[in-house]
Amino acid sequence: MNASQQDVRKFRSALLRWYRHNRRDLPWRRTRDPYAILVSEVMLQQTQVTAVLPYYYRWLQKFPDFASLGRASENDVLRMWQGLGYYARARNLRAAAQILATRYGGIFPADLAADRELPGIGRYTANAIAVFAFGRSVPLVEANISRVLARLFEIKLPIDSSAGRVRLWQLAAALLPSRRADRFNSALMDLGALVCISGKPRCGACPVSGFCRARSPELLPVKRKRSPMRRLVESHAFVIKQNRILLEHCSQRWRGMWILPRLGSVPAIARPMHTSVFPFTNHRIKLLVFRRRWQGRLAHRQRWVRTHSLDAIPIPSPHRRVIAEILSVFPGRLR
Ligand code: SF4
């Protein structure tokens, strides 16, 4: 696409015409509440819309505003986030709510610079709130828009490099209309989500194909080489006594959540009662769980949890699955 002003105007018209008939009806598009928009934007980082929807509704019911989130315990916040992954997002949301309550009287500042001082709020999130809550005309660059722009302008720079990011933000700003940036940015996102999809885009159905420079769009966008997947083996204990399970408060990967107690060394001949594999960022983790007898002493950060109270505490999905599986397979014998 040649970005002359006339082309830009035609591009916007074609895109917005398509958007009028094809837009996704998403709940966070029906509100101007900065809190609800912030929650949706944070949940959507690294997570698909379909996975986010049930969490979004449940979260707003439990924590309808900054004040209720700021007052909530970390335990409750992590439990509501449980299953969405990347739990630092939940902790940051709660920390941001607490700062807003103490420093800004619970009101979200309409000032972009202040927004970016809140934990977990970077350029994209601050701009998204400015656009969707306060009607500002500022550009947005997220995964869908990055892919669309990389193809429209045939950008060969890796989109996750600093030079690539600078270029994308420049292009997004150059295309932006001075009014109704909410509609325009949503239209670009929906084009990326529905037509200019990753892998093989649907160019035959694309409303802006006449503006697109990509000759081999399926090869775009280019990304930096990922560090190779690392394999880890982690061993944990399953200890149960009188319908109570021994759990450990995690201080590392799942900070603030409860996991099966970690085991240091395990004899090579020991047979695990459970084996599974789960991904975590660029790791592939083999989870081994061994039956252990109660040693009569609680270690640091450990506590007993009644099996019927497990739903009340935050447990990361891989460990929750193990517990559910073991309890369902060996209910009587183990307890
Ligand atoms: Fe994407 Fe194809 Fe449309 Fe270009 S023509 S923007 S590659 S869907």
mmCIF file with all atom_site columns, all heavy atoms in Angstrom, residues 12-24 186-196 205-208:
data_model
loop_
_atom_site.group_PDB
_atom_site.id
_atom_site.type_symbol
_atom_site.label_atom_id
_atom_site.label_alt_id
_atom_site.label_comp_id
_atom_site.label_asym_id
_atom_site.label_entity_id
_atom_site.label_seq_id
_atom_site.pdbx_PDB_ins_code
_atom_site.Cartn_x
_atom_site.Cartn_y
_atom_site.Cartn_z
_atom_site.occupancy
_atom_site.B_iso_or_equiv
_atom_site.pdbx_formal_charge
_atom_site.auth_seq_id
_atom_site.auth_comp_id
_atom_site.auth_asym_id
_atom_site.auth_atom_id
_atom_site.pdbx_PDB_model_num
ATOM 1   N N   . ARG A 1 12  ? -9.440  3.572   4.542  1.00 0.00 ? 12  ARG A N   1
ATOM 2   C CA  . ARG A 1 12  ? -10.316 3.652   5.724  1.00 0.00 ? 12  ARG A CA  1
ATOM 3   C C   . ARG A 1 12  ? -11.771 3.379   5.344  1.00 0.00 ? 12  ARG A C   1
ATOM 4   O O   . ARG A 1 12  ? -12.471 2.636   6.028  1.00 0.00 ? 12  ARG A O   1
ATOM 5   C CB  . ARG A 1 12  ? -10.236 5.048   6.351  1.00 0.00 ? 12  ARG A CB  1
ATOM 6   C CG  . ARG A 1 12  ? -8.945  5.328   7.068  1.00 0.00 ? 12  ARG A CG  1
ATOM 7   C CD  . ARG A 1 12  ? -9.053  6.725   7.669  1.00 0.00 ? 12  ARG A CD  1
ATOM 8   N NE  . ARG A 1 12  ? -7.780  7.268   8.016  1.00 0.00 ? 12  ARG A NE  1
ATOM 9   C CZ  . ARG A 1 12  ? -7.398  8.537   7.785  1.00 0.00 ? 12  ARG A CZ  1
ATOM 10  N NH1 . ARG A 1 12  ? -8.223  9.382   7.176  1.00 0.00 ? 12  ARG A NH1 1
ATOM 11  N NH2 . ARG A 1 12  ? -6.221  8.953   8.158  1.00 0.00 ? 12  ARG A NH2 1
ATOM 12  N N   . SER A 1 13  ? -12.209 3.989   4.220  1.00 0.00 ? 13  SER A N   1
ATOM 13  C CA  . SER A 1 13  ? -13.615 3.806   3.829  1.00 0.00 ? 13  SER A CA  1
ATOM 14  C C   . SER A 1 13  ? -13.909 2.347   3.547  1.00 0.00 ? 13  SER A C   1
ATOM 15  O O   . SER A 1 13  ? -14.932 1.808   3.989  1.00 0.00 ? 13  SER A O   1
ATOM 16  C CB  . SER A 1 13  ? -13.949 4.589   2.557  1.00 0.00 ? 13  SER A CB  1
ATOM 17  O OG  . SER A 1 13  ? -13.622 5.900   2.743  1.00 0.00 ? 13  SER A OG  1
ATOM 18  N N   . ALA A 1 14  ? -13.005 1.678   2.803  1.00 0.00 ? 14  ALA A N   1
ATOM 19  C CA  . ALA A 1 14  ? -13.238 0.267   2.460  1.00 0.00 ? 14  ALA A CA  1
ATOM 20  C C   . ALA A 1 14  ? -13.279 -0.578  3.726  1.00 0.00 ? 14  ALA A C   1
ATOM 21  O O   . ALA A 1 14  ? -14.135 -1.463  3.889  1.00 0.00 ? 14  ALA A O   1
ATOM 22  C CB  . ALA A 1 14  ? -12.136 -0.222  1.516  1.00 0.00 ? 14  ALA A CB  1
ATOM 23  N N   . LEU A 1 15  ? -12.358 -0.299  4.641  1.00 0.00 ? 15  LEU A N   1
ATOM 24  C CA  . LEU A 1 15  ? -12.285 -1.085  5.873  1.00 0.00 ? 15  LEU A CA  1
ATOM 25  C C   . LEU A 1 15  ? -13.542 -0.868  6.724  1.00 0.00 ? 15  LEU A C   1
ATOM 26  O O   . LEU A 1 15  ? -14.149 -1.820  7.218  1.00 0.00 ? 15  LEU A O   1
ATOM 27  C CB  . LEU A 1 15  ? -11.027 -0.673  6.662  1.00 0.00 ? 15  LEU A CB  1
ATOM 28  C CG  . LEU A 1 15  ? -10.817 -1.380  7.993  1.00 0.00 ? 15  LEU A CG  1
ATOM 29  C CD1 . LEU A 1 15  ? -10.576 -2.880  7.785  1.00 0.00 ? 15  LEU A CD1 1
ATOM 30  C CD2 . LEU A 1 15  ? -9.633  -0.773  8.754  1.00 0.00 ? 15  LEU A CD2 1
ATOM 31  N N   . LEU A 1 16  ? -13.953 0.386   6.858  1.00 0.00 ? 16  LEU A N   1
ATOM 32  C CA  . LEU A 1 16  ? -15.103 0.681   7.730  1.00 0.00 ? 16  LEU A CA  1
ATOM 33  C C   . LEU A 1 16  ? -16.412 0.169   7.134  1.00 0.00 ? 16  LEU A C   1
ATOM 34  O O   . LEU A 1 16  ? -17.310 -0.240  7.863  1.00 0.00 ? 16  LEU A O   1
ATOM 35  C CB  . LEU A 1 16  ? -15.174 2.184   8.025  1.00 0.00 ? 16  LEU A CB  1
ATOM 36  C CG  . LEU A 1 16  ? -14.029 2.685   8.908  1.00 0.00 ? 16  LEU A CG  1
ATOM 37  C CD1 . LEU A 1 16  ? -14.058 4.201   9.035  1.00 0.00 ? 16  LEU A CD1 1
ATOM 38  C CD2 . LEU A 1 16  ? -14.071 2.034   10.293 1.00 0.00 ? 16  LEU A CD2 1
ATOM 39  N N   . ARG A 1 17  ? -16.510 0.157   5.802  1.00 0.00 ? 17  ARG A N   1
ATOM 40  C CA  . ARG A 1 17  ? -17.699 -0.407  5.153  1.00 0.00 ? 17  ARG A CA  1
ATOM 41  C C   . ARG A 1 17  ? -17.825 -1.898  5.508  1.00 0.00 ? 17  ARG A C   1
ATOM 42  O O   . ARG A 1 17  ? -18.873 -2.385  5.881  1.00 0.00 ? 17  ARG A O   1
ATOM 43  C CB  . ARG A 1 17  ? -17.559 -0.239  3.623  1.00 0.00 ? 17  ARG A CB  1
ATOM 44  C CG  . ARG A 1 17  ? -18.790 0.366   2.987  1.00 0.00 ? 17  ARG A CG  1
ATOM 45  C CD  . ARG A 1 17  ? -18.755 0.538   1.487  1.00 0.00 ? 17  ARG A CD  1
ATOM 46  N NE  . ARG A 1 17  ? -17.547 0.238   0.772  1.00 0.00 ? 17  ARG A NE  1
ATOM 47  C CZ  . ARG A 1 17  ? -16.638 1.146   0.379  1.00 0.00 ? 17  ARG A CZ  1
ATOM 48  N NH1 . ARG A 1 17  ? -16.821 2.434   0.653  1.00 0.00 ? 17  ARG A NH1 1
ATOM 49  N NH2 . ARG A 1 17  ? -15.559 0.792   -0.289 1.00 0.00 ? 17  ARG A NH2 1
ATOM 50  N N   . TRP A 1 18  ? -16.702 -2.584  5.391  1.00 0.00 ? 18  TRP A N   1
ATOM 51  C CA  . TRP A 1 18  ? -16.687 -4.019  5.724  1.00 0.00 ? 18  TRP A CA  1
ATOM 52  C C   . TRP A 1 18  ? -17.023 -4.213  7.208  1.00 0.00 ? 18  TRP A C   1
ATOM 53  O O   . TRP A 1 18  ? -17.807 -5.091  7.575  1.00 0.00 ? 18  TRP A O   1
ATOM 54  C CB  . TRP A 1 18  ? -15.292 -4.588  5.408  1.00 0.00 ? 18  TRP A CB  1
ATOM 55  C CG  . TRP A 1 18  ? -15.083 -5.973  5.925  1.00 0.00 ? 18  TRP A CG  1
ATOM 56  C CD1 . TRP A 1 18  ? -15.450 -7.136  5.308  1.00 0.00 ? 18  TRP A CD1 1
ATOM 57  C CD2 . TRP A 1 18  ? -14.491 -6.359  7.176  1.00 0.00 ? 18  TRP A CD2 1
ATOM 58  N NE1 . TRP A 1 18  ? -15.117 -8.216  6.087  1.00 0.00 ? 18  TRP A NE1 1
ATOM 59  C CE2 . TRP A 1 18  ? -14.516 -7.762  7.252  1.00 0.00 ? 18  TRP A CE2 1
ATOM 60  C CE3 . TRP A 1 18  ? -13.923 -5.645  8.233  1.00 0.00 ? 18  TRP A CE3 1
ATOM 61  C CZ2 . TRP A 1 18  ? -14.015 -8.471  8.324  1.00 0.00 ? 18  TRP A CZ2 1
ATOM 62  C CZ3 . TRP A 1 18  ? -13.420 -6.344  9.325  1.00 0.00 ? 18  TRP A CZ3 1
ATOM 63  C CH2 . TRP A 1 18  ? -13.473 -7.743  9.358  1.00 0.00 ? 18  TRP A CH2 1
ATOM 64  N N   . TYR A 1 19  ? -16.464 -3.358  8.034  1.00 0.00 ? 19  TYR A N   1
ATOM 65  C CA  . TYR A 1 19  ? -16.633 -3.501  9.488  1.00 0.00 ? 19  TYR A CA  1
ATOM 66  C C   . TYR A 1 19  ? -18.098 -3.354  9.892  1.00 0.00 ? 19  TYR A C   1
ATOM 67  O O   . TYR A 1 19  ? -18.579 -4.071  10.779 1.00 0.00 ? 19  TYR A O   1
ATOM 68  C CB  . TYR A 1 19  ? -15.763 -2.449  10.184 1.00 0.00 ? 19  TYR A CB  1
ATOM 69  C CG  . TYR A 1 19  ? -15.868 -2.460  11.692 1.00 0.00 ? 19  TYR A CG  1
ATOM 70  C CD1 . TYR A 1 19  ? -15.392 -3.538  12.436 1.00 0.00 ? 19  TYR A CD1 1
ATOM 71  C CD2 . TYR A 1 19  ? -16.412 -1.376  12.381 1.00 0.00 ? 19  TYR A CD2 1
ATOM 72  C CE1 . TYR A 1 19  ? -15.473 -3.542  13.819 1.00 0.00 ? 19  TYR A CE1 1
ATOM 73  C CE2 . TYR A 1 19  ? -16.492 -1.379  13.763 1.00 0.00 ? 19  TYR A CE2 1
ATOM 74  C CZ  . TYR A 1 19  ? -16.024 -2.461  14.472 1.00 0.00 ? 19  TYR A CZ  1
ATOM 75  O OH  . TYR A 1 19  ? -16.104 -2.466  15.841 1.00 0.00 ? 19  TYR A OH  1
ATOM 76  N N   . ARG A 1 20  ? -18.808 -2.454  9.232  1.00 0.00 ? 20  ARG A N   1
ATOM 77  C CA  . ARG A 1 20  ? -20.227 -2.240  9.590  1.00 0.00 ? 20  ARG A CA  1
ATOM 78  C C   . ARG A 1 20  ? -21.017 -3.543  9.535  1.00 0.00 ? 20  ARG A C   1
ATOM 79  O O   . ARG A 1 20  ? -21.908 -3.774  10.319 1.00 0.00 ? 20  ARG A O   1
ATOM 80  C CB  . ARG A 1 20  ? -20.867 -1.212  8.644  1.00 0.00 ? 20  ARG A CB  1
ATOM 81  C CG  . ARG A 1 20  ? -20.771 0.222   9.152  1.00 0.00 ? 20  ARG A CG  1
ATOM 82  C CD  . ARG A 1 20  ? -21.767 1.128   8.447  1.00 0.00 ? 20  ARG A CD  1
ATOM 83  N NE  . ARG A 1 20  ? -21.432 1.331   7.039  1.00 0.00 ? 20  ARG A NE  1
ATOM 84  C CZ  . ARG A 1 20  ? -20.492 2.177   6.606  1.00 0.00 ? 20  ARG A CZ  1
ATOM 85  N NH1 . ARG A 1 20  ? -19.830 2.907   7.466  1.00 0.00 ? 20  ARG A NH1 1
ATOM 86  N NH2 . ARG A 1 20  ? -20.234 2.286   5.322  1.00 0.00 ? 20  ARG A NH2 1
ATOM 87  N N   . HIS A 1 21  ? -20.672 -4.409  8.585  1.00 0.00 ? 21  HIS A N   1
ATOM 88  C CA  . HIS A 1 21  ? -21.447 -5.653  8.415  1.00 0.00 ? 21  HIS A CA  1
ATOM 89  C C   . HIS A 1 21  ? -20.809 -6.868  9.068  1.00 0.00 ? 21  HIS A C   1
ATOM 90  O O   . HIS A 1 21  ? -21.441 -7.923  9.150  1.00 0.00 ? 21  HIS A O   1
ATOM 91  C CB  . HIS A 1 21  ? -21.628 -5.945  6.916  1.00 0.00 ? 21  HIS A CB  1
ATOM 92  C CG  . HIS A 1 21  ? -22.314 -4.819  6.203  1.00 0.00 ? 21  HIS A CG  1
ATOM 93  N ND1 . HIS A 1 21  ? -23.644 -4.542  6.391  1.00 0.00 ? 21  HIS A ND1 1
ATOM 94  C CD2 . HIS A 1 21  ? -21.838 -3.883  5.343  1.00 0.00 ? 21  HIS A CD2 1
ATOM 95  C CE1 . HIS A 1 21  ? -23.960 -3.470  5.662  1.00 0.00 ? 21  HIS A CE1 1
ATOM 96  N NE2 . HIS A 1 21  ? -22.884 -3.053  5.023  1.00 0.00 ? 21  HIS A NE2 1
ATOM 97  N N   . ASN A 1 22  ? -19.539 -6.749  9.458  1.00 0.00 ? 22  ASN A N   1
ATOM 98  C CA  . ASN A 1 22  ? -18.830 -7.951  9.917  1.00 0.00 ? 22  ASN A CA  1
ATOM 99  C C   . ASN A 1 22  ? -18.251 -7.849  11.321 1.00 0.00 ? 22  ASN A C   1
ATOM 100 O O   . ASN A 1 22  ? -17.569 -8.763  11.762 1.00 0.00 ? 22  ASN A O   1
ATOM 101 C CB  . ASN A 1 22  ? -17.681 -8.277  8.946  1.00 0.00 ? 22  ASN A CB  1
ATOM 102 C CG  . ASN A 1 22  ? -18.197 -8.616  7.573  1.00 0.00 ? 22  ASN A CG  1
ATOM 103 O OD1 . ASN A 1 22  ? -18.674 -9.711  7.324  1.00 0.00 ? 22  ASN A OD1 1
ATOM 104 N ND2 . ASN A 1 22  ? -18.145 -7.634  6.666  1.00 0.00 ? 22  ASN A ND2 1
ATOM 105 N N   . ARG A 1 23  ? -18.516 -6.789  12.015 1.00 0.00 ? 23  ARG A N   1
ATOM 106 C CA  . ARG A 1 23  ? -17.865 -6.575  13.310 1.00 0.00 ? 23  ARG A CA  1
ATOM 107 C C   . ARG A 1 23  ? -18.242 -7.659  14.312 1.00 0.00 ? 23  ARG A C   1
ATOM 108 O O   . ARG A 1 23  ? -19.341 -8.217  14.267 1.00 0.00 ? 23  ARG A O   1
ATOM 109 C CB  . ARG A 1 23  ? -18.228 -5.201  13.874 1.00 0.00 ? 23  ARG A CB  1
ATOM 110 C CG  . ARG A 1 23  ? -19.678 -5.051  14.253 1.00 0.00 ? 23  ARG A CG  1
ATOM 111 C CD  . ARG A 1 23  ? -20.015 -3.598  14.490 1.00 0.00 ? 23  ARG A CD  1
ATOM 112 N NE  . ARG A 1 23  ? -19.309 -3.068  15.639 1.00 0.00 ? 23  ARG A NE  1
ATOM 113 C CZ  . ARG A 1 23  ? -19.773 -3.104  16.885 1.00 0.00 ? 23  ARG A CZ  1
ATOM 114 N NH1 . ARG A 1 23  ? -20.946 -3.653  17.143 1.00 0.00 ? 23  ARG A NH1 1
ATOM 115 N NH2 . ARG A 1 23  ? -19.076 -2.604  17.858 1.00 0.00 ? 23  ARG A NH2 1
ATOM 116 N N   . ARG A 1 24  ? -17.272 -7.966  15.175 1.00 0.00 ? 24  ARG A N   1
ATOM 117 C CA  . ARG A 1 24  ? -17.557 -8.926  16.250 1.00 0.00 ? 24  ARG A CA  1
ATOM 118 C C   . ARG A 1 24  ? -18.278 -8.189  17.379 1.00 0.00 ? 24  ARG A C   1
ATOM 119 O O   . ARG A 1 24  ? -17.892 -7.074  17.727 1.00 0.00 ? 24  ARG A O   1
ATOM 120 C CB  . ARG A 1 24  ? -16.251 -9.527  16.781 1.00 0.00 ? 24  ARG A CB  1
ATOM 121 C CG  . ARG A 1 24  ? -15.543 -10.430 15.804 1.00 0.00 ? 24  ARG A CG  1
ATOM 122 C CD  . ARG A 1 24  ? -14.222 -10.933 16.360 1.00 0.00 ? 24  ARG A CD  1
ATOM 123 N NE  . ARG A 1 24  ? -13.263 -9.852  16.570 1.00 0.00 ? 24  ARG A NE  1
ATOM 124 C CZ  . ARG A 1 24  ? -12.098 -9.983  17.192 1.00 0.00 ? 24  ARG A CZ  1
ATOM 125 N NH1 . ARG A 1 24  ? -11.743 -11.159 17.670 1.00 0.00 ? 24  ARG A NH1 1
ATOM 126 N NH2 . ARG A 1 24  ? -11.288 -8.965  17.328 1.00 0.00 ? 24  ARG A NH2 1
ATOM 127 N N   . SER A 1 186 ? -10.888 -1.007  16.059 1.00 0.00 ? 186 SER A N   1
ATOM 128 C CA  . SER A 1 186 ? -11.629 -2.273  16.173 1.00 0.00 ? 186 SER A CA  1
ATOM 129 C C   . SER A 1 186 ? -11.746 -2.939  14.808 1.00 0.00 ? 186 SER A C   1
ATOM 130 O O   . SER A 1 186 ? -11.685 -4.173  14.693 1.00 0.00 ? 186 SER A O   1
ATOM 131 C CB  . SER A 1 186 ? -13.034 -2.031  16.732 1.00 0.00 ? 186 SER A CB  1
ATOM 132 O OG  . SER A 1 186 ? -12.949 -1.497  18.027 1.00 0.00 ? 186 SER A OG  1
ATOM 133 N N   . ALA A 1 187 ? -11.928 -2.121  13.773 1.00 0.00 ? 187 ALA A N   1
ATOM 134 C CA  . ALA A 1 187 ? -12.049 -2.678  12.417 1.00 0.00 ? 187 ALA A CA  1
ATOM 135 C C   . ALA A 1 187 ? -10.742 -3.359  11.997 1.00 0.00 ? 187 ALA A C   1
ATOM 136 O O   . ALA A 1 187 ? -10.755 -4.457  11.421 1.00 0.00 ? 187 ALA A O   1
ATOM 137 C CB  . ALA A 1 187 ? -12.412 -1.567  11.427 1.00 0.00 ? 187 ALA A CB  1
ATOM 138 N N   . LEU A 1 188 ? -9.613  -2.729  12.303 1.00 0.00 ? 188 LEU A N   1
ATOM 139 C CA  . LEU A 1 188 ? -8.322  -3.361  11.961 1.00 0.00 ? 188 LEU A CA  1
ATOM 140 C C   . LEU A 1 188 ? -8.152  -4.675  12.724 1.00 0.00 ? 188 LEU A C   1
ATOM 141 O O   . LEU A 1 188 ? -7.696  -5.676  12.184 1.00 0.00 ? 188 LEU A O   1
ATOM 142 C CB  . LEU A 1 188 ? -7.166  -2.422  12.330 1.00 0.00 ? 188 LEU A CB  1
ATOM 143 C CG  . LEU A 1 188 ? -6.670  -1.422  11.289 1.00 0.00 ? 188 LEU A CG  1
ATOM 144 C CD1 . LEU A 1 188 ? -5.463  -0.659  11.840 1.00 0.00 ? 188 LEU A CD1 1
ATOM 145 C CD2 . LEU A 1 188 ? -6.285  -2.099  9.975  1.00 0.00 ? 188 LEU A CD2 1
ATOM 146 N N   . MET A 1 189 ? -8.531  -4.648  14.002 1.00 0.00 ? 189 MET A N   1
ATOM 147 C CA  . MET A 1 189 ? -8.415  -5.877  14.813 1.00 0.00 ? 189 MET A CA  1
ATOM 148 C C   . MET A 1 189 ? -9.293  -6.976  14.236 1.00 0.00 ? 189 MET A C   1
ATOM 149 O O   . MET A 1 189 ? -8.878  -8.132  14.123 1.00 0.00 ? 189 MET A O   1
ATOM 150 C CB  . MET A 1 189 ? -8.895  -5.613  16.247 1.00 0.00 ? 189 MET A CB  1
ATOM 151 C CG  . MET A 1 189 ? -7.924  -4.863  17.093 1.00 0.00 ? 189 MET A CG  1
ATOM 152 S SD  . MET A 1 189 ? -8.672  -4.619  18.729 1.00 0.00 ? 189 MET A SD  1
ATOM 153 C CE  . MET A 1 189 ? -7.638  -3.304  19.333 1.00 0.00 ? 189 MET A CE  1
ATOM 154 N N   . ASP A 1 190 ? -10.522 -6.625  13.869 1.00 0.00 ? 190 ASP A N   1
ATOM 155 C CA  . ASP A 1 190 ? -11.442 -7.649  13.363 1.00 0.00 ? 190 ASP A CA  1
ATOM 156 C C   . ASP A 1 190 ? -10.996 -8.168  12.001 1.00 0.00 ? 190 ASP A C   1
ATOM 157 O O   . ASP A 1 190 ? -11.172 -9.345  11.689 1.00 0.00 ? 190 ASP A O   1
ATOM 158 C CB  . ASP A 1 190 ? -12.876 -7.083  13.278 1.00 0.00 ? 190 ASP A CB  1
ATOM 159 C CG  . ASP A 1 190 ? -13.514 -7.018  14.660 1.00 0.00 ? 190 ASP A CG  1
ATOM 160 O OD1 . ASP A 1 190 ? -12.783 -7.275  15.646 1.00 0.00 ? 190 ASP A OD1 1
ATOM 161 O OD2 . ASP A 1 190 ? -14.713 -6.714  14.768 1.00 0.00 ? 190 ASP A OD2 1
ATOM 162 N N   . LEU A 1 191 ? -10.406 -7.301  11.204 1.00 0.00 ? 191 LEU A N   1
ATOM 163 C CA  . LEU A 1 191 ? -9.865  -7.774  9.924  1.00 0.00 ? 191 LEU A CA  1
ATOM 164 C C   . LEU A 1 191 ? -8.805  -8.845  10.191 1.00 0.00 ? 191 LEU A C   1
ATOM 165 O O   . LEU A 1 191 ? -8.778  -9.892  9.537  1.00 0.00 ? 191 LEU A O   1
ATOM 166 C CB  . LEU A 1 191 ? -9.262  -6.604  9.134  1.00 0.00 ? 191 LEU A CB  1
ATOM 167 C CG  . LEU A 1 191 ? -8.800  -6.984  7.723  1.00 0.00 ? 191 LEU A CG  1
ATOM 168 C CD1 . LEU A 1 191 ? -10.008 -7.195  6.805  1.00 0.00 ? 191 LEU A CD1 1
ATOM 169 C CD2 . LEU A 1 191 ? -7.881  -5.912  7.127  1.00 0.00 ? 191 LEU A CD2 1
ATOM 170 N N   . GLY A 1 192 ? -7.926  -8.574  11.176 1.00 0.00 ? 192 GLY A N   1
ATOM 171 C CA  . GLY A 1 192 ? -6.880  -9.545  11.528 1.00 0.00 ? 192 GLY A CA  1
ATOM 172 C C   . GLY A 1 192 ? -7.460  -10.823 12.114 1.00 0.00 ? 192 GLY A C   1
ATOM 173 O O   . GLY A 1 192 ? -6.954  -11.912 11.885 1.00 0.00 ? 192 GLY A O   1
ATOM 174 N N   . ALA A 1 193 ? -8.535  -10.699 12.876 1.00 0.00 ? 193 ALA A N   1
ATOM 175 C CA  . ALA A 1 193 ? -9.107  -11.879 13.546 1.00 0.00 ? 193 ALA A CA  1
ATOM 176 C C   . ALA A 1 193 ? -9.941  -12.721 12.597 1.00 0.00 ? 193 ALA A C   1
ATOM 177 O O   . ALA A 1 193 ? -10.038 -13.944 12.769 1.00 0.00 ? 193 ALA A O   1
ATOM 178 C CB  . ALA A 1 193 ? -9.966  -11.428 14.721 1.00 0.00 ? 193 ALA A CB  1
ATOM 179 N N   . LEU A 1 194 ? -10.561 -12.098 11.581 1.00 0.00 ? 194 LEU A N   1
ATOM 180 C CA  . LEU A 1 194 ? -11.529 -12.828 10.750 1.00 0.00 ? 194 LEU A CA  1
ATOM 181 C C   . LEU A 1 194 ? -11.055 -13.088 9.317  1.00 0.00 ? 194 LEU A C   1
ATOM 182 O O   . LEU A 1 194 ? -11.470 -14.056 8.701  1.00 0.00 ? 194 LEU A O   1
ATOM 183 C CB  . LEU A 1 194 ? -12.855 -12.038 10.682 1.00 0.00 ? 194 LEU A CB  1
ATOM 184 C CG  . LEU A 1 194 ? -13.520 -11.710 12.027 1.00 0.00 ? 194 LEU A CG  1
ATOM 185 C CD1 . LEU A 1 194 ? -14.720 -10.789 11.826 1.00 0.00 ? 194 LEU A CD1 1
ATOM 186 C CD2 . LEU A 1 194 ? -13.951 -12.986 12.732 1.00 0.00 ? 194 LEU A CD2 1
ATOM 187 N N   . VAL A 1 195 ? -10.225 -12.216 8.764  1.00 0.00 ? 195 VAL A N   1
ATOM 188 C CA  . VAL A 1 195 ? -9.852  -12.332 7.341  1.00 0.00 ? 195 VAL A CA  1
ATOM 189 C C   . VAL A 1 195 ? -8.332  -12.477 7.179  1.00 0.00 ? 195 VAL A C   1
ATOM 190 O O   . VAL A 1 195 ? -7.844  -13.437 6.594  1.00 0.00 ? 195 VAL A O   1
ATOM 191 C CB  . VAL A 1 195 ? -10.346 -11.096 6.546  1.00 0.00 ? 195 VAL A CB  1
ATOM 192 C CG1 . VAL A 1 195 ? -9.932  -11.194 5.078  1.00 0.00 ? 195 VAL A CG1 1
ATOM 193 C CG2 . VAL A 1 195 ? -11.860 -10.957 6.656  1.00 0.00 ? 195 VAL A CG2 1
ATOM 194 N N   . CYS A 1 196 ? -7.603  -11.544 7.725  1.00 0.00 ? 196 CYS A N   1
ATOM 195 C CA  . CYS A 1 196 ? -6.140  -11.571 7.575  1.00 0.00 ? 196 CYS A CA  1
ATOM 196 C C   . CYS A 1 196 ? -5.573  -12.419 8.720  1.00 0.00 ? 196 CYS A C   1
ATOM 197 O O   . CYS A 1 196 ? -4.804  -11.943 9.543  1.00 0.00 ? 196 CYS A O   1
ATOM 198 C CB  . CYS A 1 196 ? -5.594  -10.145 7.607  1.00 0.00 ? 196 CYS A CB  1
ATOM 199 S SG  . CYS A 1 196 ? -3.911  -10.038 6.985  1.00 0.00 ? 196 CYS A SG  1
ATOM 200 N N   . ALA A 1 205 ? -11.545 -12.682 0.308  1.00 0.00 ? 205 ALA A N   1
ATOM 201 C CA  . ALA A 1 205 ? -12.674 -12.033 0.993  1.00 0.00 ? 205 ALA A CA  1
ATOM 202 C C   . ALA A 1 205 ? -12.237 -10.725 1.652  1.00 0.00 ? 205 ALA A C   1
ATOM 203 O O   . ALA A 1 205 ? -12.970 -10.165 2.463  1.00 0.00 ? 205 ALA A O   1
ATOM 204 C CB  . ALA A 1 205 ? -13.220 -12.978 2.059  1.00 0.00 ? 205 ALA A CB  1
ATOM 205 N N   . CYS A 1 206 ? -11.058 -10.244 1.294  1.00 0.00 ? 206 CYS A N   1
ATOM 206 C CA  . CYS A 1 206 ? -10.504 -9.090  2.019  1.00 0.00 ? 206 CYS A CA  1
ATOM 207 C C   . CYS A 1 206 ? -10.991 -7.762  1.428  1.00 0.00 ? 206 CYS A C   1
ATOM 208 O O   . CYS A 1 206 ? -10.828 -7.520  0.227  1.00 0.00 ? 206 CYS A O   1
ATOM 209 C CB  . CYS A 1 206 ? -8.985  -9.142  1.981  1.00 0.00 ? 206 CYS A CB  1
ATOM 210 S SG  . CYS A 1 206 ? -8.238  -7.749  2.837  1.00 0.00 ? 206 CYS A SG  1
ATOM 211 N N   . PRO A 1 207 ? -11.557 -6.887  2.264  1.00 0.00 ? 207 PRO A N   1
ATOM 212 C CA  . PRO A 1 207 ? -12.080 -5.613  1.749  1.00 0.00 ? 207 PRO A CA  1
ATOM 213 C C   . PRO A 1 207 ? -10.979 -4.632  1.352  1.00 0.00 ? 207 PRO A C   1
ATOM 214 O O   . PRO A 1 207 ? -11.261 -3.650  0.667  1.00 0.00 ? 207 PRO A O   1
ATOM 215 C CB  . PRO A 1 207 ? -12.873 -5.066  2.949  1.00 0.00 ? 207 PRO A CB  1
ATOM 216 C CG  . PRO A 1 207 ? -12.196 -5.657  4.147  1.00 0.00 ? 207 PRO A CG  1
ATOM 217 C CD  . PRO A 1 207 ? -11.742 -7.016  3.726  1.00 0.00 ? 207 PRO A CD  1
ATOM 218 N N   . VAL A 1 208 ? -9.736  -4.888  1.773  1.00 0.00 ? 208 VAL A N   1
ATOM 219 C CA  . VAL A 1 208 ? -8.659  -3.935  1.457  1.00 0.00 ? 208 VAL A CA  1
ATOM 220 C C   . VAL A 1 208 ? -7.564  -4.601  0.624  1.00 0.00 ? 208 VAL A C   1
ATOM 221 O O   . VAL A 1 208 ? -6.426  -4.125  0.593  1.00 0.00 ? 208 VAL A O   1
ATOM 222 C CB  . VAL A 1 208 ? -8.078  -3.310  2.753  1.00 0.00 ? 208 VAL A CB  1
ATOM 223 C CG1 . VAL A 1 208 ? -9.109  -2.444  3.436  1.00 0.00 ? 208 VAL A CG1 1
ATOM 224 C CG2 . VAL A 1 208 ? -7.557  -4.372  3.715  1.00 0.00 ? 208 VAL A CG2 1
#
